[in-house]
Amino acid sequence: MGFELGLPGQFNAADYFVDRNVREGRGNKAAVLCEDRSFTYAQIQAGMNRIGNGLKGLGLRMEDRVSLLLLDTEMYPQAFFGAIKMGAVPVCLNTLMRPKDYLYFLNDSRSRVLFIDAALLGVMETIREDLRFLEHTVVVNGPAPEWAMSLDQLVEGSSDQMDAAPTSPDDSCFWLYSSGSTGQPKGAVHLQHDMVYSLETYGKQVLAVRENDTCFSAAKLFFAYGLGNGLYFPFGVGATTALMPERPTPASVYDTIGRHRPTIFFGVPTLYGAMLQQEGSLDGVRLCVSAGEALPADILRRWVERHHVQIADGIGSTEIVHIFISNSADSIKPGSSGKVVPGYEARIVDENFEDLPVGEIGTLLIKGDSICACYWNKHEKTKSTFLGEWINTDDKYYRDEEGFYYYVGRSNDMLKVGGIWVSPVEVESCLIAHPAVFECAVIGAPDADNLIKPKAFVVLQPGYSPDAQMEKELKEHVKKELAHYKFPRWIQFVEELPKTATGKLKRFELRKLSEGA
Ligand code: 3UK
């Protein structure tokens, strides 16, 4: 069934998610907790307005893109909604990438302004000269180098009052980049109503997020998953969000839970697996949520045994903005992704787009009004992914009699590693550039928790020896060139790669080879 939001013809998401809380009397309520700091909705609103006015002062106009390369601190909501409120379009960038990735994101999005955390400034050094559209870099949480401006400079003399730009529910609101197996990442263009749709469906009906909740997402705000968890779900109901700028390790996460006492915790399977290996308490948490990759039933079992709190696994995507099939606190089937979230529809189809019966594996199509409008500047990819009201998720699923959905795999070779996309092709291209590598192939292999991690098969050039030293060197090489999480956790040296008569790699054989190893 469709789900009517009934938004007015003029609608601005920053007004809805920030200003409305102040209008409804929550101005003095804590909106953001971060380290030892706390910020009320009124404070976040004032900061947002100053940034919005500052952007106007730079000559920014509606629809201009503003990239955010920010850690999770109180500055994130202010910059994100500050840009949206004046009609600009924030582009949330993954902070774990490499300089060449940012060169692409900033040029592809034609961002005129970049907000960057002082701690991340290093990535700009080698690419600054090659940015074709960037006009201003604003440094937050620290001093600015001479070629950039500080936040104080941006907002100097700016009023803390501002009218929202007269956007419509269907105007561009924010972008998120999604990577594919080949080709450059694709900017998913999300509209002003998308966050509201996800809030009204998954947020209110599955999470049942309430004003007295405190949300804490270990998944960062720059991920579509983290953005809902840590920003627009809590802000959508006037709740509180706990933000953590550090890397999510079991220690930092348990520590933040102890300090801010969240009621809903959001993680990814790899983190739940790691947290089970370490001491720590979840006191006060009423529900845990997992997404990004399938949650193994065994991790769920051990988690509930130890912490006595359920983990609701759900599948979401960057294109759909958040979760569309999910378990919920009172309906959990271990090993499944749960049921279709009210407000979404699902089909499982064969290669001719014919619907398949219960139990049969096919491609998952989803319909629902939080699906992005398109991929920016990628017309062919847009046409093959967005099929009218439906989107092809490229995921393989089947469903059971009771309407629970089961993830079986991807229809392409992409891997989810710690909840984040890794393209085997990208890792292969990186490995092959190392002088010792003659040929290589990368597949996903299960670790001790049954979670997929990249594994490389390498054929060495003559004269190099397949030993532990070489293995270490190749891992370091990938870590240096690509985002850290992409490096192969195992390297298996082989004499040759299994190929078909036409020279195509037999990935299936590699998987068999891997299981035998
Ligand atoms: C896979 C899952 C099995 C699946 C995301 C929650 O992960 C998110 O977005 P991405 O664009 O990736 C989407 C793809 O990841 N996947 C995600 N969750 C699950 N597979 N079980 C799961 N629970 O292949 C999907 O197509 O990075 C997750 C909310 C918002 C998101 N964007």
Side-chain angles (χ1 to χ4, degrees):
M1 270 289 110
F3 194 90
E4 286 302 321
L5 295 178
L7 298 179
Q10 185 173 318
F11 174 82
N12 185 293
D15 173 80
Y16 184 88
F17 285 98
V18 181
D19 295 331
R20 183 173 53 88
N21 282 304
V22 177
R23 275 200 301 278
E24 292 178 357
R26 288 182 288 270
N28 290 326
K29 181 169 179 189
V32 177
L33 309 176
C34 184
E35 299 176 318
D36 55 3
R37 309 183 295 280
S38 170
F39 302 85
T40 64
Y41 273 104
Q43 288 172 314
I44 296 293
Q45 180 189 44
M48 163 184 82
N49 287 343
R50 278 193 295 267
I51 287 178
N53 284 323
L55 290 173
K56 283 193 202 173
L58 295 179
L60 231 67
R61 310 274 304 268
M62 282 174 82
E63 295 166 41
D64 281 340
R65 264 81 62 195
V66 173
S67 277
L68 308 184
L69 186 52
L70 297 176
L71 302 179
D72 283 15
T73 72
E74 67 279 8
M75 290 316 302
Y76 211 106
Q78 296 175 59
F80 180 77
F81 285 122
I84 292 174
K85 193 164 176 190
M86 58 79 58
V89 180
V91 181
C92 304
L93 300 182
N94 182 332
T95 60
L96 308 170
M97 309 297 266
R98 291 287 173 261
K100 68 170 174 33
D101 303 310
Y102 298 120
L103 180 63
Y104 169 78
F105 294 138
L106 291 165
N107 281 340
D108 180 66
S109 64
R110 305 190 186 127
S111 292
R112 293 181 62 194
V113 176
L114 166 69
F115 282 88
I116 186 168
D117 196 288
L120 303 171
L121 268 168
V123 304
M124 291 292 282
E125 262 161 43
T126 52
I127 61 169
R128 259 171 54 217
E129 309 288 301
D130 301 319
L131 297 169
R132 296 168 55 200
F133 305 98
L134 193 72
E135 295 165 33
H136 306 279
T137 300
V138 182
V139 181
V140 309
N141 296 327
E146 95 297 330
W147 52 268
M149 70 169 77
S150 66
L151 179 72
D152 286 346
Q153 281 171 287
L154 175 77
V155 302
E156 204 184 313
S158 281
S159 162
D160 60 8
Q161 309 282 318
M162 182 173 71
D163 290 332
T167 44
S168 85
D170 297 347
D171 258 307
S172 300
C173 188
F174 62 100
W175 294 12
L176 298 165
Y177 275 93
S178 177
S179 30
S181 49
T182 54
Q184 296 285 19
K186 311 166 293 269
V189 177
H190 277 288
L191 306 182
Q192 297 279 341
H193 66 260
D194 292 352
M195 293 188 283
V196 187
Y197 197 84
S198 174
L199 169 69
E200 290 297 329
T201 56
Y202 176 75
K204 290 193 182 167
Q205 301 182 55
V206 177
L207 281 183
V209 60
R210 298 274 148 70
E211 194 175 336
N212 58 8
D213 276 315
T214 295
C215 299
F216 170 41
S217 177
K220 299 296 177 192
L221 295 172
F222 62 75
F223 292 120
Y225 179 42
L227 191 69
N229 306 339
L231 193 51
Y232 64 83
F233 294 146
F235 277 37
V237 296
T240 302
T241 185
L243 299 180
M244 181 185 83
E246 297 100 302
R247 202 163 67 85
T249 60
S252 66
V253 167
Y254 278 128
D255 189 60
T256 300
I257 291 174
R259 189 200 291 234
H260 296 305
R261 311 272 308 184
T263 53
I264 314 181
F265 172 70
F266 303 85
V268 295
T270 303
L271 178 64
Y272 286 114
M275 287 174 79
L276 278 168
Q277 305 295 321
Q278 229 166 297
E279 291 298 304
S281 146
L282 280 194
D283 266 4
V285 175
R286 71 166 168 89
L287 179 66
C288 296
V289 174
S290 178
E293 61 186 313
L295 178 69
D298 194 57
I299 292 186
L300 173 59
R301 185 186 56 75
R302 287 186 280 143
W303 187 267
V304 175
E305 210 171 271
R306 171 161 154 203
H307 289 299
H308 310 287
V309 182
Q310 285 291 348
I311 308 179
D313 184 12
I315 174 176
S317 81
T318 302
E319 291 81 352
I320 306 176
V321 100
H322 212 275
I323 291 173
F324 47 87
I325 292 178
S326 187
N327 291 282
S328 63
D330 51 10
S331 161
I332 291 186
K333 262 203 194 182
S336 96
S337 305
K339 294 183 174 182
V340 181
V341 172
Y344 294 88
E345 288 175 58
R347 290 175 63 193
I348 294 174
V349 299
D350 66 13
E351 50 286 357
N352 300 318
F353 290 91
E354 302 286 352
D355 288 280
L356 290 166
V358 163
E360 283 193 32
I361 296 173
T363 299
L364 180 70
L365 309 183
I366 295 290
K367 176 175 154 182
D369 245 334
S370 60
I371 300 174
C372 62
C374 65
Y375 292 131
W376 173 255
N377 244 335
K378 300 249 179 317
H379 188 55
E380 294 306 317
K381 264 282 167 199
T382 296
K383 284 189 292 186
S384 58
T385 303
F386 305 99
L387 317 166
E389 296 190 295
W390 295 83
I391 177 172
N392 182 348
T393 64
D394 266 339
D395 288 310
K396 295 287 182 206
Y397 262 85
Y398 71 89
R399 66 181 200 284
D400 67 14
E401 299 280 355
E402 293 171 62
F404 282 85
Y405 283 68
Y406 295 81
Y407 174 80
V408 194
R410 295 281 304 167
S411 19
N412 54 29
D413 295 321
M414 290 294 280
L415 309 176
K416 264 313 187 73
V417 177
I420 320 177
W421 284 130
V422 173
S423 157
V425 179
E426 187 187 17
V427 182
E428 287 162 5
S429 329
C430 177
L431 277 171
I432 201 79
H434 189 282
V437 177
F438 171 68
E439 253 193 328
C440 67
V442 172
I443 62 164
D447 67 8
D449 278 328
N450 218 9
L451 293 163
I452 296 297
K453 301 283 181 288
K455 170 170 183 170
F457 290 83
V458 171
V459 182
L460 289 174
Q461 296 277 13
Y464 290 91
S465 46
D467 52 21
Q469 177 56 34
M470 177 55 69
E471 179 170 348
K472 185 157 173 268
E473 186 175 325
L474 293 178
K475 287 180 181 173
E476 289 305 318
H477 166 73
V478 178
K479 282 191 199 172
K480 193 168 117 267
E481 296 295 319
L482 305 180
H484 188 272
Y485 57 84
K486 298 175 180 173
F487 86 93
R489 306 308 193 268
W490 311 273
I491 292 183
Q492 192 170 333
F493 294 106
V494 288
E495 293 292 321
E496 58 180 0
L497 295 174
K499 300 230 180 99
T500 63
T502 54
K504 200 169 181 307
L505 184 70
K506 290 192 201 160
R507 284 186 190 274
F508 176 72
E509 300 242 330
L510 278 182
R511 282 182 205 118
K512 273 204 307 206
L513 197 64
S514 178
E515 279 158 26

